[in-house]
């Protein structure tokens, strides 16, 4: 009975030590008699008890690693307090177990030294502008060395860049001066544009006025020309009608009578003026001659028509 109990206990111990259940996204490194034998995959696994043992357990998940803050010196001899965070993943459990005594410490130290080297090549202003470049260079440098440790570096992010207080104050003054400069430039550009707009408006107004005056002069000239043409047309039509009337029977007598009336009216108007001395022709035949000359002109005009 006692032997059965002992055998049962041994069987339980044997089964317990031979059955291993590995969680998902984990890898357990097995050593057989102190030598690397293999890695257990997630799920149910069997090993030889007392011969095989689980030497290392690795998580295959992405691991965030906080890189401690450190002082870095830029190319222009400015001190910066820099800290960051590193993301890596174990890809080879065997190398992660035997490639380094502590791959986490190794990755952390390499990240710090690489960061100091990268920032030492840049000036202060560039360190703020080129964070992506710094991150990429740190990842590239660490990833090359971490291959022997079975680790894949995924990315590195700078959390904070803190220059000394004096540099921060100087940077703030520079930013303030730059903003004031931009404000002055904007104000001067506004005044310049205002002057340009005023000059452009005055020029366009002057052009519009001159165009209006030009059009008014053209319209006036055209109106006067139309008026002159209308008067000339009316005069020509009147003369034509007079000439046509003269050619009718009794027309010459009517003209003679009209001319005689005009002559008498002219003498009457002259005589009515007290300041005018009137000399009456001694021979009234001269009046007849005047009427005859007028009638000759009227005939010549009618003939020409």
């Amino acid at each position: 009975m006692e032997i059965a109990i002992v055998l049962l206990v041994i069987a339980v111990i044997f089964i317990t030590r031979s059955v291993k259940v590995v969680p998902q996204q984990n890898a357990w490194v097995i050593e057989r008699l102190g030598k690397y034998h293999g890695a257990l995959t997630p799920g149910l696994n069997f090993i030889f008890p007392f011969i095989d043992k689980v030497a290392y357990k690795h998580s295959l998940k992405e691991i965030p690693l906080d890189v401690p803050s450190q002082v870095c010196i830029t190319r222009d001899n400015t001190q910066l307090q820099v800290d960051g965070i590193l993301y890596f993943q174990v890809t080879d459990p065997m190398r992660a177990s035997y490639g380094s005594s502590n791959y986490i410490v190794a990755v952390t130290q390499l990240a710090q030294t690489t960061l100091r080297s990268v920032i030492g090549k840049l000036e202060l202003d560039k360190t703020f502008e080129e964070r992506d470049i710094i991150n990429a260079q740190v990842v590239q440098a660490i990833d090359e060395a971490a291959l022997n440790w079975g680790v894949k570096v995924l990315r590195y992010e700078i959390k904070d860049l803190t220059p000394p207080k004096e540099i921060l104050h100087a940077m703030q003054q520079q930013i303030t001066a730059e903003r004031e400069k931009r404000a002055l430039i904007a104000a001067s550009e506004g005044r310049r544009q205002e002057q340009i707009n005023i000059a452009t408006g005055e020029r366009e107004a002057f052009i519009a006025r001159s165009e209006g005056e030009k059009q008014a002069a053209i319209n006036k000239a055209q109106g006067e020309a139309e008026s002159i043409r209308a008067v000339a047309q009316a005069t020509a039509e009147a003369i034509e009608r007079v000439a046509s009337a003269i050619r009718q029977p009794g027309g010459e007598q009517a003209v003679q009578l009209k001319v005689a009336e005009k002559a008498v009216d002219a003498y009457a108007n002259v005589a009515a003026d007290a300041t005018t001395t009137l000399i009456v022709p001694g021979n009234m035949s001269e009046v007849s001659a005047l009427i005859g000359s007028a009638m000759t002109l009227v005939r010549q005009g009618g003939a020409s028509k």
Side-chain angles (χ1 to χ4, degrees), residues 91-92 95-96 142-152:
T91 56
D92 189 340
R95 290 189 177 184
I142 299 175
D143 197 35
E144 292 177 356
L147 289 176
N148 295 326
W149 306 331
V151 174
K152 172 67 177 176

PDB file of all heavy atoms in Angstrom, residues 91-92 95-96 142-152:
ATOM      1  N   THR A  91      11.785  38.381 -31.313  1.00  0.00           N
ATOM      2  CA  THR A  91      11.485  37.599 -32.519  1.00  0.00           C
ATOM      3  C   THR A  91      12.207  36.255 -32.541  1.00  0.00           C
ATOM      4  O   THR A  91      11.782  35.341 -33.248  1.00  0.00           O
ATOM      5  CB  THR A  91      11.883  38.407 -33.772  1.00  0.00           C
ATOM      6  OG1 THR A  91      13.271  38.781 -33.680  1.00  0.00           O
ATOM      7  CG2 THR A  91      11.039  39.670 -33.899  1.00  0.00           C
ATOM      8  N   ASP A  92      13.304  36.130 -31.782  1.00  0.00           N
ATOM      9  CA  ASP A  92      14.060  34.882 -31.734  1.00  0.00           C
ATOM     10  C   ASP A  92      14.303  34.530 -30.265  1.00  0.00           C
ATOM     11  O   ASP A  92      15.199  35.094 -29.621  1.00  0.00           O
ATOM     12  CB  ASP A  92      15.383  35.041 -32.479  1.00  0.00           C
ATOM     13  CG  ASP A  92      16.116  33.716 -32.666  1.00  0.00           C
ATOM     14  OD1 ASP A  92      15.810  32.769 -31.909  1.00  0.00           O
ATOM     15  OD2 ASP A  92      16.986  33.635 -33.547  1.00  0.00           O
ATOM     16  N   ARG A  95      18.081  33.475 -29.336  1.00  0.00           N
ATOM     17  CA  ARG A  95      19.043  34.576 -29.249  1.00  0.00           C
ATOM     18  C   ARG A  95      18.709  35.500 -28.089  1.00  0.00           C
ATOM     19  O   ARG A  95      19.621  36.058 -27.455  1.00  0.00           O
ATOM     20  CB  ARG A  95      19.052  35.352 -30.551  1.00  0.00           C
ATOM     21  CG  ARG A  95      19.656  34.584 -31.712  1.00  0.00           C
ATOM     22  CD  ARG A  95      19.828  35.487 -32.918  1.00  0.00           C
ATOM     23  NE  ARG A  95      20.472  34.791 -34.024  1.00  0.00           N
ATOM     24  CZ  ARG A  95      20.804  35.375 -35.179  1.00  0.00           C
ATOM     25  NH1 ARG A  95      20.514  36.658 -35.378  1.00  0.00           N
ATOM     26  NH2 ARG A  95      21.397  34.684 -36.126  1.00  0.00           N
ATOM     27  N   ALA A  96      17.427  35.693 -27.815  1.00  0.00           N
ATOM     28  CA  ALA A  96      17.062  36.534 -26.682  1.00  0.00           C
ATOM     29  C   ALA A  96      17.531  35.920 -25.370  1.00  0.00           C
ATOM     30  O   ALA A  96      17.782  36.631 -24.391  1.00  0.00           O
ATOM     31  CB  ALA A  96      15.548  36.738 -26.661  1.00  0.00           C
ATOM     32  N   ILE A 142      19.769  50.932 -33.494  1.00  0.00           N
ATOM     33  CA  ILE A 142      19.496  49.902 -32.487  1.00  0.00           C
ATOM     34  C   ILE A 142      19.117  48.581 -33.154  1.00  0.00           C
ATOM     35  O   ILE A 142      19.518  47.501 -32.698  1.00  0.00           O
ATOM     36  CB  ILE A 142      18.374  50.371 -31.537  1.00  0.00           C
ATOM     37  CG1 ILE A 142      18.796  51.645 -30.802  1.00  0.00           C
ATOM     38  CG2 ILE A 142      18.030  49.288 -30.523  1.00  0.00           C
ATOM     39  CD1 ILE A 142      17.693  52.241 -29.938  1.00  0.00           C
ATOM     40  N   ASP A 143      18.342  48.676 -34.230  1.00  0.00           N
ATOM     41  CA  ASP A 143      17.844  47.448 -34.866  1.00  0.00           C
ATOM     42  C   ASP A 143      18.984  46.610 -35.424  1.00  0.00           C
ATOM     43  O   ASP A 143      18.936  45.378 -35.401  1.00  0.00           O
ATOM     44  CB  ASP A 143      16.860  47.831 -35.973  1.00  0.00           C
ATOM     45  CG  ASP A 143      16.015  46.650 -36.393  1.00  0.00           C
ATOM     46  OD1 ASP A 143      15.673  45.828 -35.542  1.00  0.00           O
ATOM     47  OD2 ASP A 143      15.706  46.551 -37.609  1.00  0.00           O
ATOM     48  N   GLU A 144      20.017  47.259 -35.937  1.00  0.00           N
ATOM     49  CA  GLU A 144      21.161  46.512 -36.480  1.00  0.00           C
ATOM     50  C   GLU A 144      21.881  45.724 -35.386  1.00  0.00           C
ATOM     51  O   GLU A 144      22.293  44.579 -35.595  1.00  0.00           O
ATOM     52  CB  GLU A 144      22.121  47.474 -37.171  1.00  0.00           C
ATOM     53  CG  GLU A 144      21.550  48.100 -38.444  1.00  0.00           C
ATOM     54  CD  GLU A 144      22.504  49.101 -39.065  1.00  0.00           C
ATOM     55  OE1 GLU A 144      23.580  49.351 -38.457  1.00  0.00           O
ATOM     56  OE2 GLU A 144      22.189  49.649 -40.135  1.00  0.00           O
ATOM     57  N   ALA A 145      22.036  46.343 -34.228  1.00  0.00           N
ATOM     58  CA  ALA A 145      22.734  45.664 -33.132  1.00  0.00           C
ATOM     59  C   ALA A 145      21.846  44.654 -32.423  1.00  0.00           C
ATOM     60  O   ALA A 145      22.328  43.636 -31.903  1.00  0.00           O
ATOM     61  CB  ALA A 145      23.248  46.702 -32.130  1.00  0.00           C
ATOM     62  N   ALA A 146      20.526  44.910 -32.406  1.00  0.00           N
ATOM     63  CA  ALA A 146      19.620  44.047 -31.658  1.00  0.00           C
ATOM     64  C   ALA A 146      19.328  42.736 -32.372  1.00  0.00           C
ATOM     65  O   ALA A 146      18.689  41.855 -31.771  1.00  0.00           O
ATOM     66  CB  ALA A 146      18.314  44.791 -31.392  1.00  0.00           C
ATOM     67  N   LEU A 147      19.758  42.584 -33.622  1.00  0.00           N
ATOM     68  CA  LEU A 147      19.539  41.318 -34.319  1.00  0.00           C
ATOM     69  C   LEU A 147      20.222  40.165 -33.584  1.00  0.00           C
ATOM     70  O   LEU A 147      19.704  39.039 -33.539  1.00  0.00           O
ATOM     71  CB  LEU A 147      20.053  41.416 -35.757  1.00  0.00           C
ATOM     72  CG  LEU A 147      19.247  42.310 -36.717  1.00  0.00           C
ATOM     73  CD1 LEU A 147      19.936  42.387 -38.072  1.00  0.00           C
ATOM     74  CD2 LEU A 147      17.828  41.790 -36.859  1.00  0.00           C
ATOM     75  N   ASN A 148      21.398  40.408 -33.020  1.00  0.00           N
ATOM     76  CA  ASN A 148      22.113  39.355 -32.289  1.00  0.00           C
ATOM     77  C   ASN A 148      21.461  39.033 -30.942  1.00  0.00           C
ATOM     78  O   ASN A 148      21.840  38.045 -30.303  1.00  0.00           O
ATOM     79  CB  ASN A 148      23.569  39.773 -32.055  1.00  0.00           C
ATOM     80  CG  ASN A 148      24.335  39.909 -33.361  1.00  0.00           C
ATOM     81  OD1 ASN A 148      24.087  39.164 -34.312  1.00  0.00           O
ATOM     82  ND2 ASN A 148      25.268  40.846 -33.400  1.00  0.00           N
ATOM     83  N   TRP A 149      20.529  39.871 -30.524  1.00  0.00           N
ATOM     84  CA  TRP A 149      19.858  39.636 -29.248  1.00  0.00           C
ATOM     85  C   TRP A 149      18.456  39.059 -29.453  1.00  0.00           C
ATOM     86  O   TRP A 149      17.708  38.917 -28.486  1.00  0.00           O
ATOM     87  CB  TRP A 149      19.746  40.943 -28.459  1.00  0.00           C
ATOM     88  CG  TRP A 149      21.059  41.635 -28.274  1.00  0.00           C
ATOM     89  CD1 TRP A 149      22.289  41.052 -28.210  1.00  0.00           C
ATOM     90  CD2 TRP A 149      21.270  43.040 -28.134  1.00  0.00           C
ATOM     91  NE1 TRP A 149      23.263  41.998 -28.043  1.00  0.00           N
ATOM     92  CE2 TRP A 149      22.674  43.241 -27.988  1.00  0.00           C
ATOM     93  CE3 TRP A 149      20.460  44.162 -28.114  1.00  0.00           C
ATOM     94  CZ2 TRP A 149      23.242  44.495 -27.834  1.00  0.00           C
ATOM     95  CZ3 TRP A 149      21.025  45.408 -27.953  1.00  0.00           C
ATOM     96  CH2 TRP A 149      22.406  45.570 -27.811  1.00  0.00           C
ATOM     97  N   GLY A 150      18.108  38.765 -30.705  1.00  0.00           N
ATOM     98  CA  GLY A 150      16.790  38.211 -30.987  1.00  0.00           C
ATOM     99  C   GLY A 150      15.655  39.193 -30.787  1.00  0.00           C
ATOM    100  O   GLY A 150      14.521  38.794 -30.516  1.00  0.00           O
ATOM    101  N   VAL A 151      15.976  40.475 -30.935  1.00  0.00           N
ATOM    102  CA  VAL A 151      14.987  41.530 -30.674  1.00  0.00           C
ATOM    103  C   VAL A 151      14.820  42.364 -31.943  1.00  0.00           C
ATOM    104  O   VAL A 151      15.797  42.681 -32.623  1.00  0.00           O
ATOM    105  CB  VAL A 151      15.437  42.421 -29.493  1.00  0.00           C
ATOM    106  CG1 VAL A 151      14.493  43.592 -29.319  1.00  0.00           C
ATOM    107  CG2 VAL A 151      15.500  41.592 -28.221  1.00  0.00           C
ATOM    108  N   LYS A 152      13.585  42.742 -32.231  1.00  0.00           N
ATOM    109  CA  LYS A 152      13.263  43.632 -33.357  1.00  0.00           C
ATOM    110  C   LYS A 152      12.772  44.960 -32.803  1.00  0.00           C
ATOM    111  O   LYS A 152      11.753  45.025 -32.095  1.00  0.00           O
ATOM    112  CB  LYS A 152      12.185  42.995 -34.238  1.00  0.00           C
ATOM    113  CG  LYS A 152      11.643  43.908 -35.331  1.00  0.00           C
ATOM    114  CD  LYS A 152      12.717  44.217 -36.374  1.00  0.00           C
ATOM    115  CE  LYS A 152      12.142  45.060 -37.494  1.00  0.00           C
ATOM    116  NZ  LYS A 152      13.191  45.446 -38.471  1.00  0.00           N
TER     117      LYS A 152
END
